């Protein structure tokens, strides 16, 4: 296609046509006379989004933005043309003030009992029948969502040996990964993370959640997943031990309980609520472990954390 305005900077010819874009989105031109490819603008475009762009699951290269939609961004690999998409409205936790509990119609210990039973893989209708009050299962479901963003897991200060692993949760034929770190001696969940990808960046986020502002020398036991190679690169205070697949039993036992919970709920209606479910699952499982599966004592601990917050 002829262009009478743009001329070749080498020979001055106007016998040129457009020849695609470079990796920064600048228009390229091709001169038919001197066979030279050139561009008039050499600016580097800034990233449209602050989150790290995903790695291609086939070749491992960083993917580029292909299309921007209202709720998600489509990425495409420049080498093998593999496509993927990630949501732009990532869920974030919102602090729940104590005043919010005054809007519950029933006493708070009944609401907390429903909360604990729910994460013991009891169905909503079974919880409704066990409470002996006139309440719908939909109301109980709203209780769970309201409480799920309030509690947080307590990390043991003496956790120096942890096990790491991940599992897959399917939602509408798409894979989401749930990561756990489990303390070796107490078998408590000390950190968790939910992601759509299984790469080194997710391992870094998981470890940052565990360390917080208190870095210490620990021993990390994982299976042979290549994403854990980031440990030796980014952290000098971690002794990474790789075991054979199937021998990381402490993490796998927690994942079996989590999978039982997912199966009992028959999946999820809204994937945005998955981080809240995982967080509450970790809180309840740790408290049940510390209190010998005594639901009454767990409710007392949760109630005390509410009244002192």
């Amino acid at each position: 296609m002829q262009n009478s305005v743009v001329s070749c900077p080498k020979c001055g010819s106007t016998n040129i046509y457009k020849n695609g874009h470079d990796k920064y989105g600048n228009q390229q031109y091709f001169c038919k006379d001197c066979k030279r490819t050139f561009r008039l603008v050499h600016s580097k475009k800034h990233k449209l989004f602050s989150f790290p762009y995903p790695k291609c699951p086939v070749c491992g290269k960083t993917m580029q933005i292909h299309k921007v939609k209202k709720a998600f961004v489509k990425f495409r690999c420049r080498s093998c043309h593999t496509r993927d998409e990630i949501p732009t409205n990532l869920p974030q936790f919102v602090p729940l003030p104590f005043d919010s509990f005054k809007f519950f119609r029933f006493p708070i210990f009944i609401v907390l009992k429903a909360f604990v039973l729910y994460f013991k893989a009891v169905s909503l209708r079974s919880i409704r029948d066990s409470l002996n009050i006139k309440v719908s299962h939909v109301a109980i479901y709203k209780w769970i969502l309201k409480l799920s963003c309030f509690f947080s897991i307590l990390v043991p200060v003496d956790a120096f040996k942890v096990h790491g692993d991940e599992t897959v949760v399917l939602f509408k034929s798409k894979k989401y990964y749930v990561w756990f770190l489990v303390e070796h001696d107490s078998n408590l969940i000390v950190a968790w993370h939910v992601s759509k990808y299984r790469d080194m960046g997710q391992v870094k986020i998981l470890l940052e959640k565990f360390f917080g502002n208190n870095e210490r020398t620990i021993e990390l036991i994982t299976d042979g997943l290549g994403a854990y190679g980031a440990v030796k690169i980014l952290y000098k205070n971690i002794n990474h031990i790789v075991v054979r697949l199937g021998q990381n039993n402490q993490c796998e036992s927690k994942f079996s309980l989590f999978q039982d919970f997912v199966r009992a709920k028959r999946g999820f209606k809204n994937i945005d609520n998955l981080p809240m479910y995982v967080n509450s699952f970790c809180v309840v499982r740790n408290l049940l472990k510390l209190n010998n599966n005594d639901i009454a004592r767990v409710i007392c601990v949760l109630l005390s954390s509410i009244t002192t917050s």
Side-chain angles (χ1 to χ4, degrees):
M1 179 178 172
Q2 296 286 339
N3 192 323
S4 58
V5 178
V6 181
S7 61
C8 177
K10 184 177 181 180
C11 64
S13 173
T14 58
N15 189 19
I16 63 174
Y17 63 87
K18 293 182 179 180
N19 189 24
H21 299 79
D22 63 4
K23 62 180 181 180
Y24 300 111
N26 300 315
Q27 179 67 58
Q28 294 187 144
Y29 300 92
F30 179 78
C31 179
K32 292 184 179 180
D33 294 336
C34 63
K35 311 300 181 185
R36 181 176 182 266
T37 300
F38 63 94
R39 57 185 181 272
L40 302 179
V41 181
H42 298 269
S43 63
K44 294 184 178 181
K45 291 189 175 181
H46 297 286
K47 292 179 64 175
L48 295 178
F49 302 96
S50 59
F51 54 79
Y53 289 2
K55 301 288 185 180
C56 177
V58 178
C59 63
K61 295 183 178 180
T62 303
M63 304 177 76
Q64 303 294 327
I65 294 178
H66 180 56
K67 292 181 180 179
V68 178
K69 300 293 184 179
K70 183 177 180 180
F72 59 89
V73 183
K74 286 189 174 182
F75 287 87
R76 184 177 65 178
C77 179
R78 294 175 63 91
S79 300
C80 59
H81 304 292
T82 303
R83 298 187 182 185
D84 203 350
E85 59 185 41
I86 62 173
T88 55
N89 51 345
L90 297 177
Q92 297 180 353
F93 290 119
V94 179
L96 186 65
F98 179 72
D99 291 340
S100 300
F101 292 99
K102 67 182 181 181
F103 298 107
F104 286 120
R105 185 160 57 98
F106 297 97
I108 188 61
F109 68 88
I110 293 180
V111 179
L112 290 174
K113 181 179 179 181
F115 178 79
V116 175
L117 290 177
Y118 184 82
F119 290 99
K120 280 180 64 67
V122 182
S123 66
L124 290 172
R125 289 174 174 82
S126 298
I127 296 173
R128 178 196 60 190
D129 297 337
S130 66
L131 294 178
N132 295 322
I133 58 176
K134 189 176 181 180
V135 63
S136 69
H137 65 281
V138 178
I140 297 175
Y141 176 71
K142 292 180 179 179
W143 294 352
I144 306 304
L145 292 181
K146 197 168 188 179
L147 289 173
S148 291
C149 58
F150 183 74
F151 302 108
S152 59
I153 61 175
L154 299 176
V155 180
V157 295
D158 56 346
F160 297 104
K161 186 176 182 181
V162 295
H163 297 252
D165 205 356
E166 76 290 333
T167 190
V168 178
V169 174
L170 292 177
F171 180 77
K172 295 183 179 180
S173 301
K174 293 183 180 180
K175 292 183 178 181
Y176 294 84
Y177 297 95
V178 180
W179 306 72
F180 283 161
L181 282 182
V182 177
E183 208 271 326
H184 178 76
D185 296 325
S186 61
N187 202 17
L188 299 176
I189 303 174
V190 296
W192 61 270
H193 177 53
V194 177
S195 67
K196 194 179 177 183
Y197 303 98
R198 189 168 57 172
D199 53 21
M200 293 184 178
Q202 312 308 321
V203 175
K204 183 176 182 293
I205 295 174
L206 178 67
L207 292 174
E208 286 178 349
K209 286 185 175 182
F210 169 66
F211 284 123
N213 297 325
N214 183 22
E215 285 201 14
R216 53 192 180 276
T217 303
I218 67 167
E219 188 175 281
L220 176 63
I221 303 172
T222 65
D223 55 17
L225 181 66
Y228 289 105
V231 174
K232 293 184 178 179
I233 300 174
L234 301 174
Y235 298 93
K236 304 300 182 183
N237 58 328
I238 297 180
N239 180 22
H240 184 207
I241 300 176
V242 180
V243 298
R244 290 191 301 173
L245 189 64
Q247 293 185 353
N248 198 7
N249 295 325
Q250 286 191 281
C251 244
E252 291 167 359
S253 63
K254 292 297 182 184
F255 278 127
S256 63
L257 295 174
F258 180 74
Q259 293 290 0
D260 291 341
F261 166 74
V262 174
R263 282 192 292 268
K265 306 309 171 188
R266 297 179 181 178
F268 301 99
K269 297 179 179 63
N270 188 354
I271 197 61
D272 291 347
N273 295 331
L274 178 59
M276 293 190 294
Y277 286 130
V278 176
N279 180 73
S280 299
F281 172 83
C282 296
V283 171
V284 173
R285 284 297 169 186
N286 282 357
L287 291 178
L288 288 172
K289 179 72 176 178
L290 292 172
N291 295 278
N292 298 321
N293 290 320
D294 189 341
I295 296 178
R297 293 176 61 182
V298 172
I299 294 174
C300 291
V301 173
L302 294 176
L303 185 60
S304 64
S305 67
I306 293 173
T307 55
T308 56
S309 60

